[in-house]
Each structure stands twice: as structure tokens, then as C-alpha cells.
Amino acid sequence: MSWLLNKLHKGLIGTSKNTTTTTSSIIHECFRGELEVVKEIINPDNTTMETCRMPFLMLGLDLPPPPLFKDVMEKNIIPQVALFNLLNKFDGETVTEVVLNLSSVARMRYRITRLPRYLIFHVGRFAKKGFFTEKNPTLVSFPVKNLVLKDNMLKKYDLIANVVHDGKPEEGIYKVFVQRKSNEIWYEMQDLHVGEVLPQVVALSEAYLQIYEQHVLQVPES
């Protein structure tokens, strides 16, 4: 998705070195936000700290590891986590550790400094394990309406699209839930099949990619 958005952006502004067109596009106007990144690099002999601002077109969300054990019925336990908990990654306080090499580790902290009109979340369900791909089955509970991010209480987001993956990593299917804004009816689409569904069904799916649209709250005058 990130590759597609960047490709569309470059195509809209032109790629010629002599072009005089603007460096902005409707892609950046809709989807581009900004993060403050604090990186603490821990080496065996010293520790360095650096802070920078970086743009983003989508935010990657990390799922907790699935449980290793089965329940009393010998079935795999499917855990559940709230979207708000996954978004703690971007509160400026939660530390995400990244292994740089055998002797160095980076402790990353992220804080959203500018929110875009449309927020795209990518849920990291798949991971490469040698020659195989594993899928994390954790269910993510999320609001369909009025998502509020920490430190941005005046901006709320409504879900407008939800891409899900059903089944095993190599054999599953993708389908998308899309809202028709004129009447707020949700539709499920898979290949050529299109059918109307309830919002409750959207919230029970294995979310893989989500798009939220922002609406700004009006502050009453005192």
C-alpha cells in the first residue's frame, strides 16, 4: 500500500529533473502525516540519542505474539486486543526495540505531530519464519465511528474501509468492507461478490488494512 501511494504521488507530480511542478499532490494532501522519532542506539561501549521528524503515509501496528498453548477443548486460543492499545506505539512514551546487529539495539519512541485527513493502519499479521509465512490470528477490536487519538481530542475519525484476510497465510482470501457515505450502509466485496452487511460484522473481522476519515469537531464559543 505504501509503495502504491508513493508511486501515485510521483506520477502526479512528474519525475523529470527539469520539472517546475509542485512537490505536493492529492496523495500527500490526503494521507501524509508526520511523526517525531526519538532513537536511542545502545552499543556495547556507548549510547547515542537522536531525534528527527519523518513523514508517513500509513502507520504500521504491531500485534502481540499469539499464545503458544491450546485451551481445554484442544483448540487454539484466539486472543483479542483493542486498537487503542496498538496505537500506544505512537504516544511518544512507549518504547519499540529494534535489533540493528548482533551488538546494537535501537530503542524507538514515536509521537504523531501532524495527523492527515485520512489515516491508514496496516496491521502486521504476517511474518516470515524461514521458508514459511506465519499468520497472527489476533482479533483487533476497533471503533467504526469516532476514533480519537491521544493528544488529539478535537479530531475524530470514522472508518470508511476495512481490508481483512480470512484463512491460512498461503490459502486464505482477502475481502474488503466499504461504507457508502450517502446512506452509511456497509458492503462486503470479494472478487465479483458484493453484498450488504451490518456494521457489527465489520467490527468482528480480522482487520489487515484500515482507512479512517477525519472530521474536525467544532469547539463551542464561550
Side-chain angles (χ1 to χ4, degrees), residues 6 14-15 28 30 32 43 52 74 88 103 105 128 135 137 143 148 155 170 176 180 189 195 200 209 213 215:
N6 280 307
T15 56
H28 279 189
C30 290
R32 194 183 197 203
N43 298 303
C52 65
E74 291 299 314
N88 286 338
S103 59
V105 176
K128 279 285 187 181
K135 178 184 176 183
V148 178
K155 295 180 180 179
E170 307 293 347
V176 59
R180 184 179 182 184
M189 295 185 290
Q200 294 86 337
L209 192 74
E213 182 182 28
H215 58 89

mmCIF file of all heavy atoms in Angstrom, residues 6 14-15 28 30 32 43 52 74 88 103 105 128 135 137 143 148 155 170 176 180 189 195 200 209 213 215:
data_model
loop_
_atom_site.group_PDB
_atom_site.id
_atom_site.type_symbol
_atom_site.label_atom_id
_atom_site.label_comp_id
_atom_site.label_asym_id
_atom_site.label_seq_id
_atom_site.Cartn_x
_atom_site.Cartn_y
_atom_site.Cartn_z
ATOM 1 N N ASN A 6 3.157 5.986 -2.862
ATOM 2 C CA ASN A 6 4.346 6.717 -3.317
ATOM 3 C C ASN A 6 4.433 6.751 -4.838
ATOM 4 O O ASN A 6 4.820 7.763 -5.426
ATOM 5 C CB ASN A 6 5.608 6.074 -2.733
ATOM 6 C CG ASN A 6 5.867 6.491 -1.301
ATOM 7 O OD1 ASN A 6 5.922 7.671 -0.979
ATOM 8 N ND2 ASN A 6 6.017 5.517 -0.422
ATOM 9 N N GLY A 14 5.168 14.300 -11.462
ATOM 10 C CA GLY A 14 6.144 14.204 -12.536
ATOM 11 C C GLY A 14 7.505 13.802 -12.001
ATOM 12 O O GLY A 14 7.860 14.094 -10.859
ATOM 13 N N THR A 15 8.285 13.122 -12.819
ATOM 14 C CA THR A 15 9.595 12.621 -12.389
ATOM 15 C C THR A 15 10.763 13.287 -13.104
ATOM 16 O O THR A 15 11.916 12.974 -12.844
ATOM 17 C CB THR A 15 9.679 11.104 -12.640
ATOM 18 O OG1 THR A 15 9.414 10.843 -14.029
ATOM 19 C CG2 THR A 15 8.660 10.359 -11.792
ATOM 20 N N HIS A 28 -0.460 13.277 -0.994
ATOM 21 C CA HIS A 28 0.113 13.830 0.230
ATOM 22 C C HIS A 28 -0.906 14.680 0.985
ATOM 23 O O HIS A 28 -0.923 14.688 2.223
ATOM 24 C CB HIS A 28 1.352 14.659 -0.103
ATOM 25 C CG HIS A 28 2.583 13.821 -0.293
ATOM 26 N ND1 HIS A 28 3.847 14.354 -0.415
ATOM 27 C CD2 HIS A 28 2.739 12.474 -0.371
ATOM 28 C CE1 HIS A 28 4.726 13.377 -0.563
ATOM 29 N NE2 HIS A 28 4.076 12.239 -0.551
ATOM 30 N N CYS A 30 -4.007 14.178 1.263
ATOM 31 C CA CYS A 30 -4.991 13.313 1.925
ATOM 32 C C CYS A 30 -4.375 12.398 2.981
ATOM 33 O O CYS A 30 -4.963 12.201 4.049
ATOM 34 C CB CYS A 30 -5.718 12.461 0.882
ATOM 35 S SG CYS A 30 -6.830 13.381 -0.195
ATOM 36 N N ARG A 32 -0.778 12.179 4.036
ATOM 37 C CA ARG A 32 0.532 12.414 4.641
ATOM 38 C C ARG A 32 0.416 13.045 6.025
ATOM 39 O O ARG A 32 -0.193 14.086 6.201
ATOM 40 C CB ARG A 32 1.378 13.314 3.747
ATOM 41 C CG ARG A 32 2.851 13.323 4.133
ATOM 42 C CD ARG A 32 3.618 14.289 3.254
ATOM 43 N NE ARG A 32 5.039 14.043 3.298
ATOM 44 C CZ ARG A 32 5.947 14.962 3.005
ATOM 45 N NH1 ARG A 32 5.571 16.174 2.654
ATOM 46 N NH2 ARG A 32 7.227 14.671 3.060
ATOM 47 N N ASN A 43 24.997 0.678 22.099
ATOM 48 C CA ASN A 43 26.141 -0.118 21.667
ATOM 49 C C ASN A 43 26.870 -0.658 22.898
ATOM 50 O O ASN A 43 26.645 -0.191 24.022
ATOM 51 C CB ASN A 43 27.098 0.735 20.823
ATOM 52 C CG ASN A 43 26.439 1.235 19.549
ATOM 53 O OD1 ASN A 43 25.956 0.456 18.746
ATOM 54 N ND2 ASN A 43 26.411 2.556 19.375
ATOM 55 N N CYS A 52 14.322 13.122 15.210
ATOM 56 C CA CYS A 52 14.054 13.635 13.871
ATOM 57 C C CYS A 52 12.553 13.629 13.612
ATOM 58 O O CYS A 52 11.780 13.014 14.345
ATOM 59 C CB CYS A 52 14.792 12.810 12.812
ATOM 60 S SG CYS A 52 14.219 11.098 12.692
ATOM 61 N N GLU A 74 -8.726 -28.348 23.256
ATOM 62 C CA GLU A 74 -7.664 -28.614 22.282
ATOM 63 C C GLU A 74 -7.788 -27.741 21.036
ATOM 64 O O GLU A 74 -7.423 -28.131 19.938
ATOM 65 C CB GLU A 74 -7.656 -30.098 21.872
ATOM 66 C CG GLU A 74 -7.213 -31.029 22.967
ATOM 67 C CD GLU A 74 -5.784 -30.746 23.426
ATOM 68 O OE1 GLU A 74 -4.918 -30.568 22.558
ATOM 69 O OE2 GLU A 74 -5.552 -30.689 24.639
ATOM 70 N N ASN A 88 -0.819 2.836 21.179
ATOM 71 C CA ASN A 88 0.109 3.332 22.203
ATOM 72 C C ASN A 88 1.536 3.420 21.677
ATOM 73 O O ASN A 88 2.371 4.139 22.234
ATOM 74 C CB ASN A 88 0.069 2.425 23.436
ATOM 75 C CG ASN A 88 -1.191 2.621 24.259
ATOM 76 O OD1 ASN A 88 -1.836 3.668 24.185
ATOM 77 N ND2 ASN A 88 -1.554 1.616 25.036
ATOM 78 N N SER A 103 25.326 -6.697 18.151
ATOM 79 C CA SER A 103 25.784 -5.975 19.338
ATOM 80 C C SER A 103 25.063 -4.653 19.584
ATOM 81 O O SER A 103 25.348 -3.982 20.568
ATOM 82 C CB SER A 103 27.294 -5.706 19.229
ATOM 83 O OG SER A 103 27.581 -4.939 18.065
ATOM 84 N N VAL A 105 21.324 -2.334 19.666
ATOM 85 C CA VAL A 105 19.865 -2.309 19.735
ATOM 86 C C VAL A 105 19.400 -0.861 19.716
ATOM 87 O O VAL A 105 20.009 0.005 20.357
ATOM 88 C CB VAL A 105 19.347 -3.009 21.013
ATOM 89 C CG1 VAL A 105 17.834 -2.880 21.126
ATOM 90 C CG2 VAL A 105 19.750 -4.477 21.016
ATOM 91 N N LYS A 128 7.653 -13.774 8.217
ATOM 92 C CA LYS A 128 8.435 -14.831 7.585
ATOM 93 C C LYS A 128 9.218 -15.606 8.641
ATOM 94 O O LYS A 128 9.938 -15.030 9.442
ATOM 95 C CB LYS A 128 9.402 -14.229 6.563
ATOM 96 C CG LYS A 128 8.773 -13.902 5.220
ATOM 97 C CD LYS A 128 8.525 -15.172 4.409
ATOM 98 C CE LYS A 128 8.045 -14.838 3.004
ATOM 99 N NZ LYS A 128 7.780 -16.086 2.224
ATOM 100 N N LYS A 135 0.873 -16.534 10.246
ATOM 101 C CA LYS A 135 -0.151 -15.512 10.412
ATOM 102 C C LYS A 135 -0.539 -15.401 11.877
ATOM 103 O O LYS A 135 -0.775 -16.403 12.545
ATOM 104 C CB LYS A 135 -1.388 -15.850 9.569
ATOM 105 C CG LYS A 135 -2.530 -14.853 9.732
ATOM 106 C CD LYS A 135 -3.761 -15.293 8.956
ATOM 107 C CE LYS A 135 -4.928 -14.358 9.207
ATOM 108 N NZ LYS A 135 -6.161 -14.804 8.513
ATOM 109 N N PRO A 137 -3.333 -14.640 14.374
ATOM 110 C CA PRO A 137 -4.797 -14.608 14.281
ATOM 111 C C PRO A 137 -5.473 -13.639 15.248
ATOM 112 O O PRO A 137 -6.702 -13.599 15.329
ATOM 113 C CB PRO A 137 -5.178 -16.046 14.625
ATOM 114 C CG PRO A 137 -4.140 -16.459 15.622
ATOM 115 C CD PRO A 137 -2.860 -15.772 15.201
ATOM 116 N N PRO A 143 -13.246 0.880 16.877
ATOM 117 C CA PRO A 143 -14.498 1.613 16.685
ATOM 118 C C PRO A 143 -14.755 1.866 15.205
ATOM 119 O O PRO A 143 -13.831 2.165 14.447
ATOM 120 C CB PRO A 143 -14.259 2.924 17.436
ATOM 121 C CG PRO A 143 -12.782 3.131 17.339
ATOM 122 C CD PRO A 143 -12.170 1.755 17.365
ATOM 123 N N VAL A 148 -10.680 8.397 18.422
ATOM 124 C CA VAL A 148 -9.947 9.557 18.918
ATOM 125 C C VAL A 148 -8.546 9.118 19.300
ATOM 126 O O VAL A 148 -8.372 8.140 20.027
ATOM 127 C CB VAL A 148 -10.648 10.192 20.137
ATOM 128 C CG1 VAL A 148 -9.841 11.379 20.658
ATOM 129 C CG2 VAL A 148 -12.053 10.635 19.770
ATOM 130 N N LYS A 155 -10.042 15.988 17.057
ATOM 131 C CA LYS A 155 -10.165 15.349 15.749
ATOM 132 C C LYS A 155 -10.630 13.914 15.935
ATOM 133 O O LYS A 155 -10.004 13.139 16.652
ATOM 134 C CB LYS A 155 -8.831 15.396 14.997
ATOM 135 C CG LYS A 155 -8.376 16.803 14.644
ATOM 136 C CD LYS A 155 -7.052 16.801 13.911
ATOM 137 C CE LYS A 155 -6.613 18.221 13.558
ATOM 138 N NZ LYS A 155 -5.304 18.239 12.861
ATOM 139 N N GLU A 170 -1.149 -18.988 3.294
ATOM 140 C CA GLU A 170 -0.906 -19.278 1.883
ATOM 141 C C GLU A 170 -2.186 -19.583 1.109
ATOM 142 O O GLU A 170 -2.180 -19.603 -0.117
ATOM 143 C CB GLU A 170 0.058 -20.470 1.753
ATOM 144 C CG GLU A 170 1.350 -20.314 2.533
ATOM 145 C CD GLU A 170 2.237 -19.212 1.992
ATOM 146 O OE1 GLU A 170 1.973 -18.732 0.878
ATOM 147 O OE2 GLU A 170 3.197 -18.826 2.695
ATOM 148 N N VAL A 176 -12.966 -6.939 1.332
ATOM 149 C CA VAL A 176 -12.963 -5.569 1.829
ATOM 150 C C VAL A 176 -14.376 -5.144 2.192
ATOM 151 O O VAL A 176 -15.341 -5.494 1.506
ATOM 152 C CB VAL A 176 -12.353 -4.602 0.782
ATOM 153 C CG1 VAL A 176 -13.136 -4.634 -0.520
ATOM 154 C CG2 VAL A 176 -12.285 -3.185 1.326
ATOM 155 N N ARG A 180 -20.754 3.100 2.078
ATOM 156 C CA ARG A 180 -21.336 4.080 1.163
ATOM 157 C C ARG A 180 -21.802 5.265 2.001
ATOM 158 O O ARG A 180 -22.755 5.170 2.770
ATOM 159 C CB ARG A 180 -22.512 3.470 0.403
ATOM 160 C CG ARG A 180 -23.109 4.388 -0.648
ATOM 161 C CD ARG A 180 -24.258 3.703 -1.363
ATOM 162 N NE ARG A 180 -24.823 4.547 -2.399
ATOM 163 C CZ ARG A 180 -25.886 4.225 -3.125
ATOM 164 N NH1 ARG A 180 -26.481 3.045 -2.921
ATOM 165 N NH2 ARG A 180 -26.343 5.039 -4.048
ATOM 166 N N MET A 189 -17.167 -6.888 -0.148
ATOM 167 C CA MET A 189 -16.780 -7.194 -1.522
ATOM 168 C C MET A 189 -15.661 -8.227 -1.535
ATOM 169 O O MET A 189 -14.656 -8.067 -0.840
ATOM 170 C CB MET A 189 -16.329 -5.921 -2.244
ATOM 171 C CG MET A 189 -17.434 -4.890 -2.422
ATOM 172 S SD MET A 189 -16.920 -3.453 -3.401
ATOM 173 C CE MET A 189 -15.789 -2.674 -2.261
ATOM 174 N N GLY A 195 -22.203 -7.573 -1.306
ATOM 175 C CA GLY A 195 -23.416 -7.734 -0.511
ATOM 176 C C GLY A 195 -23.442 -6.780 0.662
ATOM 177 O O GLY A 195 -22.401 -6.374 1.189
ATOM 178 N N GLN A 200 -21.794 -4.300 12.645
ATOM 179 C CA GLN A 200 -21.256 -5.222 13.645
ATOM 180 C C GLN A 200 -20.386 -6.296 13.008
ATOM 181 O O GLN A 200 -19.419 -6.775 13.616
ATOM 182 C CB GLN A 200 -22.398 -5.878 14.431
ATOM 183 C CG GLN A 200 -23.191 -4.915 15.296
ATOM 184 C CD GLN A 200 -24.320 -4.234 14.541
ATOM 185 O OE1 GLN A 200 -24.280 -4.140 13.323
ATOM 186 N NE2 GLN A 200 -25.322 -3.766 15.263
ATOM 187 N N LEU A 209 -5.925 -4.076 6.863
ATOM 188 C CA LEU A 209 -5.659 -2.713 6.413
ATOM 189 C C LEU A 209 -6.927 -1.896 6.625
ATOM 190 O O LEU A 209 -8.010 -2.320 6.217
ATOM 191 C CB LEU A 209 -5.259 -2.699 4.933
ATOM 192 C CG LEU A 209 -4.670 -1.404 4.386
ATOM 193 C CD1 LEU A 209 -3.244 -1.213 4.890
ATOM 194 C CD2 LEU A 209 -4.675 -1.410 2.861
ATOM 195 N N GLU A 213 -11.450 8.233 8.009
ATOM 196 C CA GLU A 213 -11.595 9.606 7.521
ATOM 197 C C GLU A 213 -11.818 10.545 8.697
ATOM 198 O O GLU A 213 -12.608 10.257 9.601
ATOM 199 C CB GLU A 213 -12.762 9.715 6.542
ATOM 200 C CG GLU A 213 -12.938 11.117 5.966
ATOM 201 C CD GLU A 213 -14.135 11.221 5.035
ATOM 202 O OE1 GLU A 213 -15.100 10.449 5.225
ATOM 203 O OE2 GLU A 213 -14.118 12.064 4.120
ATOM 204 N N HIS A 215 -12.991 13.889 10.767
ATOM 205 C CA HIS A 215 -13.917 15.021 10.815
ATOM 206 C C HIS A 215 -13.571 15.841 12.046
ATOM 207 O O HIS A 215 -13.402 15.312 13.144
ATOM 208 C CB HIS A 215 -15.383 14.578 10.820
ATOM 209 C CG HIS A 215 -15.771 13.680 11.949
ATOM 210 N ND1 HIS A 215 -16.228 14.131 13.158
ATOM 211 C CD2 HIS A 215 -15.772 12.324 12.039
ATOM 212 C CE1 HIS A 215 -16.503 13.107 13.948
ATOM 213 N NE2 HIS A 215 -16.232 12.003 13.301
#
